[in-house]
Amino acid sequence: MKIKSILLLTVIICISASMKAQTPIYLNDNKPIEERVKDALSRMTLEEKVRLCYAQSKFSSAGVPRLGIPEIWMSDGPHGVREEIQWNSWANAGWTNDFCTAFPALTCLAATWNPEMSALYGKAIGEEARYRKKDVLLGPGVNIYRTPLNGRNFEYMGEDPYLASVMVVPYIREVQKNGVAACVKHYALNNQELWRGHIDVELSDRALHEIYLPAFKASVIEGGAWSIMGAYNKLRGEHCCHNDLLLNRILKGDWAFDGCVITDWGGAHNTREAALNGLDIEMGSYTDGLTSESEFTYDDYYLGNSYLKGLKDGTYPMSTIDDKASRILRMIFRTVMNRDRPWGTFTTEEHFDVARTIAEEGIVLLKNSPVAKKEPALLPLDDSLYKKILVVGENATRSLTQGGGSSELKVKKEVSPLDALKALYGAKIIHTQGYESGRPLYSSVDEIPAEVSAKLRDEAIEKAKEADLVIYVGGLNKNHLQDCEAADRTIYELPFGQNELIEGILNVNPNMVMVLLSGNAVEMPWVKRVPAIVQGWYLGSEAGSALANILSGEINPSGKLPFSFPVKLADNGAHAFDALSYPGDNVKEIYREDILVGYRWHDTKKTPALYSFGHGLSYTTFGYGKAILSERNMTLNGSIEVTIPVTNTGNREGKEVVQLYIGDEKSSLVRPLKELKYFNKVTLKPGETKNVKFIIMPDDLKFYDDKREEWIAEPGKFNVYIGTSSTDIRSAVGFNLQ
Ligand code: GLC
């Protein structure tokens, strides 16, 4: 009997082994991805390889039906999973299972200055994308905040390449742990929306490498991004979606990127460049794309029939299609054909908690002073002092997750500031709209009929007369020509008559807490008259809850500005020159401020911002001791340790972002006065001191020498500035690089 069973077992093992042996390598999860890629490629016809390289619908690209290789499904966006879109148009599909969690906008994530928040964010949004069966999440965006007018700054991570680099990496890694590819965008120099489809950006190699590329480089090298989205605009005459310098030489050459380059929707413009300059998947070209209906079918895409023809007649080398197809297969094996990937979750309490936590950590307290001398600061609110609290401003009730372009969301939940304040302060709360921003096409005060604004304003002023406290909730919104894709703002000031409204209220009631919800800096002519100012962002599903927790003191604010708030627009580097510098002449644009972007401009040109990069107050205070260096001389293969004691000198626990900037005292080329090189967010109990430590490395001293095309550090004196913002430096100390 025993022998029989052993024989039977042996036969079964042989059959299963031979079965395994017959399973093609590309279908075998236990095989290394590179072997699966090679095996699949060897089985594919030329037509099948080319078919991988372009869309089959609005948000999907083809697979290989004959080999059982699935299609790839993509979805916006950086702040949550967009509702299902129709097969071949921008209209929504009207599904009822796609109401998502809205996480805060990426400016808010950047404002946390806390990489742990980025990891939480990536995990949660990755779970939602996975649950919705999306293989590519079209985000995050890391274009640098060059001008306060850019319509899409709210989707990005501020004006400093180091902050954006540190804050984007955990998001990418955590999204991809769900078997969903992040698609970092828009590579590169998409720093405005006006003329975005064709504006041809000119800038120095120094500005390119020191300011505009680092966050993309970190996304690839540290983040391991599986895909990158080409930008709409041109760089030095070539569209970024098929740009030899950006894609072949830098991304796939220097950075050894092994993932896929995907166009922005409609970003491809010709077959030759698309074939030769490193583009892998073409999406959104004309067919019901960004502009108009056409008879243009998907096979007419630039990487469709004309590319196939060019391969067959030898115009384009076969190596180009093998490279594209290999990268696409690699992304397929990392996502949709990765059987080990988790299953995701959707609109869970945990995700709402993540959204609220990030919002709470990203809200920035810009100003907090008493209304009259000897009184305590207005925030946190002590509601025992108030019988009537007026909440005024359209953003107290308006949904800020809808609109804004492709990052729009159809949400399961969105707690408004008014709802949350009512839940907190009950009948004490009275509300009035204050101003009207109208249907999505209204853009600024002159678009709203004067009598409409006047009526709302007068009502608000009347109510403010009888209130003990006014909580103003205004700012920008996701209207066209506001914080919205495909156009830039045309004014730096608050729109829809808000300034007149604010001044009118202050004339009758100085007790105002100002809450600005926006993704951009705005002009603040009333800044001296307003005792407390809170910069809230587009805060997502738990916006109201987070805001109420900050205003009430339930949570101690710890956000820091990821970009400067210039006093006036002309104080910003992009606006300090001629129109060619911004917005360009509808053909070309020259970044004349070069490397001096944001605080680099304000510091070096000595035009202080109203609120500077890295600024943010707390309900407690922090004292800094002296920075101590481990040595005063450094060599190019050495390092220097910096320690600085930071103390919570107030009476409640708080988080402080200790920022370290470095300045090169004397250099052969222009360099900013100082540049952010490290930061560390520490939690301190009242009276607690922590010794915060940083290690300065040679790379932190280097600038990009565009003559020698390499990063170099010149010997001489360097200054270390440590502070609580880029302008509030608490300790400075120098050392020599030998
Ligand atoms: C849009 C945006 C891009 C988005 C894509 C798909 O035009 O520029 O960020 O992911 O098209 O909606």
Side-chain angles (χ1 to χ4, degrees), residues 105 159 252 276 340 381 442 447 474 498 511 516 633 646 651 685:
E159 71 187 27
K252 297 181 174 180
L276 301 176
D340 300 335
L381 293 177
Y442 280 159
E447 302 252 332
Q498 290 182 71
N511 256 341
L516 291 175
N633 293 303
V646 181
N651 55 17
K685 293 190 180 9

Side-chain angles (χ1 to χ4, degrees), residues 116-137:
E116 288 165 23
M117 292 296 117
S118 177
L120 279 178
Y121 198 125
K123 178 177 182 297
I125 196 172
E127 287 166 347
E128 300 235 338
R130 175 70 190 99
Y131 188 84
R132 288 267 289 108
K133 298 185 178 58
K134 301 304 177 184
D135 308 308
V136 182
L137 178 70

